[in-house]
Amino acid sequence: MIYKEFTIENFKGVDKVNVSLDKDELVLLLGLNESGKTTILKGIETFDYLNDLSKDYDNNFFRTIRKKSDVSSDTPAMITALIGLEEILEIKDYQGIFERGLLNKNKKDNVEAFFHFLNNEKKVKIQRVIPFKGGNPKQYYYQFISDHPFAEDQFSRILAKEMVHRCPFIIYFEDFKDRIPEKIFTSKTNDAFNVDWYDIIDGLFYNTDKEFSVANFKKLYSRSNRRERDAKTVLKRVNKTLNTSFSEKWKELSGVKDIEETELTYNIPKSYFEISITDTDGTTYAVDERSKGALWYLSFLMKTEFRRKKLRVNSGKPIFLIDEPASNLHSTAQQNMISDFKKLVEDTSVVYSTHSQYLISLDNIKTTYIIERNKGVVKSTLWSDYIKEDKSNETYYQPLANVLKIIPNSLTIPWNKAIITEGPSDRKVLSTMYKILFPEQIPDFVIYPGTSAQNLETLISFNLAWSADFRVMLDSDKEGKRAKEKYLKNFDLGEELVILLPIDNKKIEGYFNEDEKKELYKISFGKEKEERVNKKEFSSMFSILNSHPEKLDVASKAIGEETIFRFKGLFSALEITQN
């Protein structure tokens, strides 16, 4: 099963918000502090009852999720998940609910008929309902949202909850509250006992061997039957699991490249674990001595990989909800983190929130939601809809700066060469082709995408004011030629500053033949394309290529000599030089 979409209703300040996970890309919730980003992430987390804690905690938490303005609310909070079915639902996999007496066996035929219906639909919609009475939370339940008659049967709620138990896990990661403690105590009576991190270490033991646990490990040190050698063997195996996971999935990420090894040690007299980190130069550090970036990744690894209660074997693609990731790191580290997230989404879904301009992924801009709060109500708008409402004409990405209230200053003005393009698609193609043609070169230019050929005045004005070395690149069609005449006249520019594509009456997608487009489509999406590649698909495949360096070498072999010659001519016309 795989989560496709969440709908959150009547949850704190949210009336109704949708978040789609239908594409294998990063999903970004972008907005200022207190705009409601965390509320949406917590709403998604709340869908899964296995994320609930103690009953007392749940009651207190559930009270906080009703509308604050309605102290006597009878309106339920609802979180609905659209779940794709990648495998056939079979009654034999749900035998337990009949054997445990949760569902009467005479309901088997009803369940089988319902499964047959869902298997044809290849999806199921399940809603968690948290009712309120006079402002107090009542017993929650799950229900199917379906036209099938069984969905109206009160016993279907039991099946709905059982199905949620088999769904991919959802893990919420809060940056500043999820740091690794210096000492992870194992005794619940200790004032410094941290139940979350105890659970993570317990999960690490469990991942090593299902018979392993922290409790059983401690018994190996009991006075009545002390087995220190066995304890050391267990701990060695646990550390092997930790470092294997670390090496296989995480070591290539930018934030952990200096880490050679991590080690879990146990203090016997005081009953606590410690984690140490060894760098590539052989130096060993305690966790509090390492950089914030390295600790962030190690903490993230351990929470997402080893939380025992979250384990669901073969449950499908998990979701990581990352709230304001490492916004306390410097700008370069934040930008590197975007690339790391792109690697993670190969086998997970990642939804993250930020108010930092450095954590915005322009290649995945179409999966960005703008989050705003107006009069206490949280509003979520998908980027493609948001830019239709925004009246900014400076650049295609200017609304992002407007959302975050970013004011350019002398430290952010790009004094390098600037290329102004008609739109984001041209930017992606230029950037990708530069990487393919000159893989060893670091670009000495930036690319600003506008909103259309006729709407580049503000960008040109900015670059003139900055005394930047810039070029404007336009299609060589009628629209581009008219735009060139306008800019030359209005700004008294030299001919060399406004460049039409060298081949007459061409758009940049016309630089590639149909066979090349289909091959690049296959490399990007992993599947064949029989009909022509349309404009939207063309833009999407260059987004993928631009953000996946490992695909570029393969893509370079799919591009013919004529196309390479054309782009070299274009870069020459734009006076983009190579070092």
Side-chain angles (χ1 to χ4, degrees):
M1 291 187 276
I2 182 169
Y3 291 113
K4 295 285 189 180
E5 183 181 71
F6 286 92
T7 302
I8 304 164
E9 298 175 85
N10 306 319
F11 189 94
K12 296 190 176 183
V14 172
D15 281 346
K16 185 173 184 179
V17 159
N18 293 305
V19 176
S20 174
L21 303 172
D22 202 28
K23 298 178 180 178
D24 295 331
E25 296 170 328
L26 288 175
V27 175
L28 167 60
L29 308 183
L30 181 69
L32 295 173
N33 281 334
E34 304 301 324
S35 60
K37 305 186 298 295
T38 298
T39 298
I40 294 173
L41 292 178
K42 293 298 289 184
I44 296 173
E45 183 199 30
T46 301
F47 174 78
D48 186 348
Y49 70 94
L50 289 186
N51 287 324
D52 297 350
L53 297 178
S54 68
K55 185 175 180 181
D56 289 339
Y57 172 88
D58 288 341
N59 283 335
N60 290 330
F61 172 72
F62 289 153
R63 283 192 185 93
T64 69
I65 69 175
R66 62 163 172 75
K67 289 186 176 181
K68 294 288 186 183
S69 58
D70 190 356
V71 295
S72 301
S73 176
D74 291 336
T75 305
M78 296 176 290
I79 305 100
T80 308
L82 176 62
I83 303 163
L85 302 177
E86 297 184 309
E87 296 182 356
I88 299 296
L89 292 173
E90 296 185 86
I91 192 76
K92 64 181 178 65
D93 295 327
Y94 289 80
Q95 272 306 120
I97 60 175
F98 298 104
E99 293 172 356
R100 298 195 303 270
L102 298 176
L103 263 183
N104 195 299
K105 291 183 179 180
N106 63 18
K107 292 289 182 181
K108 273 192 176 183
D109 290 343
N110 303 76
V111 173
E112 282 192 298
F114 187 48
F115 278 0
H116 179 73
F117 171 80
L118 295 178
N119 287 329
N120 286 333
E121 294 279 304
K122 295 184 178 179
K123 60 185 178 182
V124 60
K125 189 174 283 189
I126 300 177
Q127 183 178 79
R128 186 180 191 182
V129 181
I130 303 166
F132 289 90
K133 184 68 175 179
N136 291 309
K138 310 303 288 184
Q139 180 61 43
Y140 74 82
Y141 59 88
Y142 286 91
Q143 63 184 8
F144 292 106
I145 306 299
S146 172
D147 294 332
H148 193 277
F150 182 68
E152 299 298 321
D153 190 320
Q154 69 180 58
F155 291 103
S156 69
R157 295 181 178 182
I158 298 170
L159 180 63
K161 185 175 181 180
E162 182 68 18
M163 199 171 288
V164 170
H165 181 74
R166 296 164 181 268
C167 284
F169 59 76
I170 301 172
I171 291 185
Y172 175 81
F173 188 84
E174 189 173 9
D175 186 23
F176 296 106
K177 294 184 180 179
D178 288 313
R179 301 292 297 275
I180 302 173
E182 294 178 37
K183 299 174 182 178
I184 304 170
F185 288 91
T186 62
S187 173
K188 296 180 180 179
T189 59
N190 191 295
D191 291 340
F193 178 76
N194 184 314
V195 64
D196 284 339
W197 277 97
Y198 177 91
D199 188 45
I200 290 167
I201 300 301
D202 203 40
L204 175 56
F205 275 77
Y206 181 87
N207 271 257
T208 303
D209 188 311
K210 291 184 179 180
E211 301 300 319
F212 290 176
S213 68
V214 171
N216 289 338
F217 174 76
K218 290 176 67 177
K219 289 178 183 178
L220 298 175
Y221 288 107
S222 67
R223 293 179 180 177
S224 60
N225 185 21
R226 199 169 181 88
R227 298 160 54 188
E228 287 196 37
R229 287 188 178 180
D230 287 341
K232 289 179 180 178
T233 298
V234 169
L235 199 55
K236 281 184 179 180
R237 291 179 182 175
V238 167
N239 275 303
K240 184 177 180 180
T241 298
L242 173 60
N243 282 286
T244 298
S245 297
F246 194 74
S247 298
E248 288 179 354
K249 187 171 182 180
W250 301 86
K251 221 167 187 178
E252 76 277 10
L253 302 184
S254 60
V256 293
K257 285 184 177 178
D258 292 333
I259 298 178
E260 181 65 26
E261 186 179 45
T262 56
E263 184 180 14
L264 185 72
T265 57
Y266 185 63
N267 185 300
I268 303 169
K270 297 184 179 180
S271 298
Y272 64 75
F273 289 100
E274 288 181 294
I275 296 174
S276 61
I277 298 171
T278 302
D279 278 3
T280 51
D281 65 359
T283 307
T284 299
Y285 299 89
V287 289
D288 61 320
E289 296 177 311
R290 286 300 285 116
S291 68
K292 292 179 180 178
L295 290 182
W296 190 94
Y297 281 97
L298 183 56
S299 176
F300 188 50
L301 158 72
M302 297 192 71
K303 182 168 183 181
T304 53
E305 294 288 303
F306 302 129
R307 288 197 81 165
R308 180 175 180 178
K309 71 177 183 179
K310 306 285 172 82
L311 291 176
R312 290 170 176 164
V313 179
N314 300 321
S315 64
K317 194 173 183 179
I319 297 178
F320 296 158
L321 306 172
I322 311 175
D323 200 0
E324 297 286 357
S327 54
N328 58 332
L329 299 184
H330 60 79
S331 58
T332 302
Q334 291 182 44
Q335 290 172 326
N336 289 339
M337 193 169 282
I338 296 174
S339 298
D340 293 341
F341 286 169
K342 289 173 183 174
K343 294 174 185 175
L344 292 179
V345 296
E346 293 173 3
D347 57 5
T348 61
S349 295
V350 175
V351 183
Y352 73 105
S353 70
T354 191
H355 64 275
S356 169
Q357 67 195 85
Y358 303 109
L359 280 165
I360 298 173
S361 172
L362 297 183
D363 293 323
N364 292 94
I365 193 66
K366 59 184 176 295
T367 55
T368 293
Y369 289 84
I370 305 301
I371 312 301
E372 298 172 299
R373 186 188 296 269
N374 185 16
K375 296 181 179 179
V377 177
V378 177
K379 180 183 178 184
S380 170
T381 310
L382 190 61
W383 173 252
S384 57
D385 295 322
Y386 186 82
I387 57 174
K388 294 175 184 176
E389 302 172 6
D390 191 276
K391 303 303 180 185
S392 301
N393 292 322
E394 293 92 336
T395 166
Y396 179 78
Y397 300 122
Q398 182 61 32
L400 295 172
N402 296 345
V403 169
L404 301 178
K405 302 188 185 303
I406 297 170
I407 300 174
N409 57 59
S410 59
L411 296 177
T412 61
I413 293 174
W415 297 107
N416 294 332
K417 183 189 289 290
I419 308 298
I420 301 171
T421 65
E422 293 185 10
S425 182
D426 294 346
R427 171 191 173 273
K428 295 170 190 173
V429 175
L430 277 186
S431 177
T432 303
M433 290 305 298
Y434 188 87
K435 292 175 183 177
I436 288 174
L437 295 180
F438 313 108
E440 303 301 321
Q441 301 296 331
I442 298 174
D444 63 347
F445 59 91
V446 292
I447 305 175
Y448 291 109
T451 55
S452 71
Q454 294 289 336
N455 207 16
L456 304 177
E457 287 95 338
T458 306
L459 271 177
I460 294 172
S461 296
F462 281 163
N463 280 274
L464 285 170
W466 295 334
S467 298
D469 182 11
F470 72 94
R471 302 290 183 274
V472 180
M473 190 190 83
L474 300 168
D475 293 339
S476 56
D477 56 6
K478 291 181 180 179
E479 189 74 10
K481 292 174 181 177
R482 284 199 298 269
K484 177 173 181 176
E485 291 179 9
K486 181 175 71 171
Y487 300 140
L488 292 180
K489 178 182 178 182
N490 292 351
F491 294 99
D492 194 25
L493 300 176
E495 287 271 350
E496 75 281 1
L497 297 184
V498 184
I499 308 299
L500 297 177
L501 294 181
I503 303 174
D504 191 46
N505 201 33
K506 279 285 186 183
K507 295 178 180 291
I508 203 162
E509 54 263 39
Y511 268 39
F512 302 86
N513 62 46
E514 289 304 316
D515 288 339
E516 289 171 334
K517 291 179 185 177
K518 288 180 181 180
E519 190 60 29
L520 292 174
Y521 182 95
K522 180 181 177 181
I523 294 167
S524 302
F525 295 102
K527 56 185 178 182
E528 301 282 351
K529 179 72 173 176
E530 295 182 3
E531 64 273 15
R532 293 170 67 92
V533 175
N534 62 40
K535 189 172 182 178
K536 184 176 181 180
E537 292 167 338
F538 179 84
S539 179
S540 295
M541 69 189 190
F542 273 94
S543 287
I544 294 171
L545 292 173
N546 199 34
S547 58
H548 288 78
E550 72 279 5
K551 295 180 183 287
L552 291 179
D553 186 53
V554 182
S556 67
K557 296 178 175 61
I559 299 171
E561 292 184 5
E562 184 177 356
T563 302
I564 290 174
F565 177 79
R566 289 174 176 176
F567 273 97
K568 284 186 175 179
L570 175 58
F571 287 131
S572 177
L574 292 169
E575 298 184 22
I576 296 175
T577 58
Q578 289 72 55
N579 299 326

